[in-house]
Amino acid sequence: MRCSCISKKEKEKEYENTKNWKRLYSSIDAKVSFPVVVFMNDRNVEKPGVYSYDFSADKLHMIENLEGRVKELINPNQEYNMTICFFLNLIQALALYGRKGYIRGLEEIGYLSLGLVNRYENMNRISVPEQEFTHLIGVNPRHILLIETLII
């Protein structure tokens, strides 16, 4: 059984990474995307699972437990600790930007994911079955699209 304990130095580094990520996301004025974070173990959270981040309250909210099919889709070989998924809210994007909503949403997610990939050397992109994962965590795949999935 692996120990989920991490050193004070590692915790400080992860905290700094989180601050950088929040700063990057908060630099966008009108957001049409939202990140969902999947924690594979209890190093960063009380319980492994799928979380959304509430930037205004600076708080994580659990969406789904990390069990069964969700775990198989995101991390079948248990090779990494965390996944960040960026979703595009189509209804919000179209309401905000009109006919250019989809393109603007993709640009926003591209800006966010590129910023993260450039900051963290061990971050990579993966592909997951978008509709199945979206449905499993209770998001309507007709209105909200999974655009980018990064692992760290």
Side-chain angles (χ1 to χ4, degrees), residues 50-90:
V50 182
Y51 291 81
S52 68
Y53 191 80
D54 180 353
F55 284 89
S56 59
D58 196 22
K59 198 174 192 183
L60 286 169
H61 299 284
M62 182 180 259
I63 299 172
E64 187 69 39
N65 289 325
L66 190 62
E67 297 171 352
R69 189 69 184 133
V70 173
K71 192 171 188 176
E72 290 173 23
L73 285 176
I74 291 293
N75 193 9
N77 301 323
Q78 299 182 352
E79 298 168 2
Y80 35 86
N81 297 318
M82 185 173 74
T83 304
I84 301 173
C85 306
F86 288 101
F87 288 86
L88 172 61
N89 185 330
L90 279 178

Side-chain angles (χ1 to χ4, degrees), residues 15-16 19 38 45 53-54 56 80 95 97 118-120 140:
Y15 176 72
E16 195 60 39
K19 279 187 3 189
V38 182
V45 290
Y53 191 80
D54 180 353
S56 59
Y80 35 86
Y97 297 116
N118 287 339
R119 282 192 169 113
Y120 307 112
N140 185 342

Side-chain angles (χ1 to χ4, degrees), residues 101-114:
Y102 181 72
I103 298 298
R104 290 281 184 96
L106 292 178
E107 289 171 345
E108 179 180 308
I109 291 171
Y111 166 77
L112 293 168
S113 65
L114 187 60

Side-chain angles (χ1 to χ4, degrees), residues 130-141:
E130 293 91 354
Q131 286 187 333
E132 186 177 2
F133 175 68
T134 303
H135 178 71
L136 283 171
I137 65 169
V139 174
N140 185 342

